[in-house]
């Protein structure tokens, strides 16, 4: 397996796999209203900010990753992280570029003032939709590796997809019937 692999799952989602220290770490790079978001999926990265920063720093230095970004027309400055990488010695592109505020309540009020409930629901629907795509891809790869519905791990991943699909249905219904989440013009 190569040290870096990626797969375009949609126009706005790229799944990444990067080897660091002999281990492979999985990230999702997806587009939202404010740019591209890098999100780690491995528990060790989610629990350990310093480790996440180290892996992200090396990922941004990795030439195949840089080439992939160039091919896809993604600028370093457009990428932020879902894991707080502030105050860690990382390259500027790996940092979360949102302004640091002394009062987190200010961020909350700004968010509430700038987004309608419908926009928040649409945003959440797009996030859940990207998770569904991600886990469907895992199911497809498991199936290609001769695992199927009789395999307990396959069943668990299927359950994850069902839970996300149910969540997406419930979220979508909050905006009313016959609305296609994420595709309405603003």
């Amino acid at each position: 397996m190569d040290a870096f692999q990626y797969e375009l799952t949609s126009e706005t989602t790229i799944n990444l796999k990067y080897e660091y220290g002999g281990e492979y770490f999985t990230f999702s790079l997806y587009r939202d209203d404010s740019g591209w978001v890098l999100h780690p999926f491995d528990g060790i990265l989610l629990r350990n900010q310093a480790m996440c920063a180290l892996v992200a720093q090396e990922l941004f230095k990795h030439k195949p990753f840089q080439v992939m970004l160039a091919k896809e027309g993604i600028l370093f400055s457009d990428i932020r992280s879902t894991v707080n990488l502030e105050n860690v010695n990382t390259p500027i592109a790996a940092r979360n570029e949102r302004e640091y505020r002394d009062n987190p309540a200010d961020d909350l009020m700004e968010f509430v003032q700038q987004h309608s409930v419908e926009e928040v629901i649409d945003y959440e629907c797009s996030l859940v939709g990207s998770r569904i795509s991600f886990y469907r891809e895992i199911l497809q790869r498991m199936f290609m590796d001769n695992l199927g519905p009789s395999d307990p791990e396959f069943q668990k991943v299927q359950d994850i997809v069902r839970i996300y699909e149910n969540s997406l249905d419930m979220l979508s219904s909050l905006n009313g019937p016959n609305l296609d989440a994420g595709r309405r013009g603003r």
Side-chain angles (χ1 to χ4, degrees), residues 3-180:
F4 173 74
Q5 296 179 351
Y6 72 97
E7 178 180 18
L8 302 172
T9 58
S10 73
E11 290 180 9
T12 60
T13 306
I14 303 170
N15 290 333
L16 310 169
K17 190 170 249 184
Y18 178 63
E19 181 184 10
Y20 178 86
E23 293 290 324
Y24 285 93
F25 295 98
T26 305
F27 292 87
S28 179
L29 186 62
Y30 61 90
R31 185 165 182 74
D32 69 8
D33 293 335
S34 58
W36 287 91
V37 180
L38 182 69
H39 178 69
F41 285 109
D42 299 282
I44 190 171
L45 297 182
L46 293 170
R47 289 187 312 268
N48 187 332
Q49 180 182 357
M51 178 69 177
C52 186
L54 288 172
V55 175
Q57 182 178 21
E58 290 302 314
L59 176 64
F60 277 93
K61 291 179 184 177
H62 195 64
K63 290 184 182 6
F65 175 71
Q66 295 170 359
V67 170
M68 184 271 309
L69 290 176
K71 283 182 178 178
E72 299 304 321
I74 301 171
L75 302 174
F76 279 107
S77 60
D78 285 347
I79 301 173
R80 59 187 172 81
S81 173
T82 57
V83 174
N84 185 4
L85 301 176
E86 290 293 329
N87 302 320
V88 179
N89 187 17
T90 59
I92 192 161
R95 291 189 195 137
N96 185 338
E97 291 299 323
R98 290 184 175 173
E99 262 182 41
Y100 175 75
R101 304 245 170 111
D102 291 332
N103 186 355
D106 290 343
D107 288 337
L108 177 61
M109 288 309 296
E110 181 181 329
F111 180 81
V112 169
Q113 291 171 351
Q114 291 182 359
H115 297 87
S116 70
V117 171
E118 291 81 11
E119 289 173 324
V120 171
I121 293 168
D122 284 348
Y123 176 70
E124 290 300 318
C125 286
S126 70
L127 290 178
V128 171
S130 70
R131 301 307 302 143
I132 291 169
S133 297
F134 177 76
Y135 283 105
R136 281 183 180 160
E137 179 65 28
I138 290 173
L139 282 174
Q140 187 177 27
R141 289 183 183 194
M142 290 175 82
F143 189 77
M144 298 302 280
D145 288 338
N146 295 321
L147 298 174
S150 62
D151 181 75
E153 289 182 2
F154 189 91
Q155 291 170 357
K156 287 179 183 178
V157 176
Q158 275 186 318
D159 288 342
I160 291 170
V161 171
R162 279 189 210 104
I163 289 167
Y164 275 122
E165 287 174 339
N166 290 338
S167 297
L168 181 59
D169 288 342
M170 291 170 65
L171 281 168
S172 297
S173 70
L174 293 174
N175 271 346
N178 301 322
L179 296 177
D180 188 6

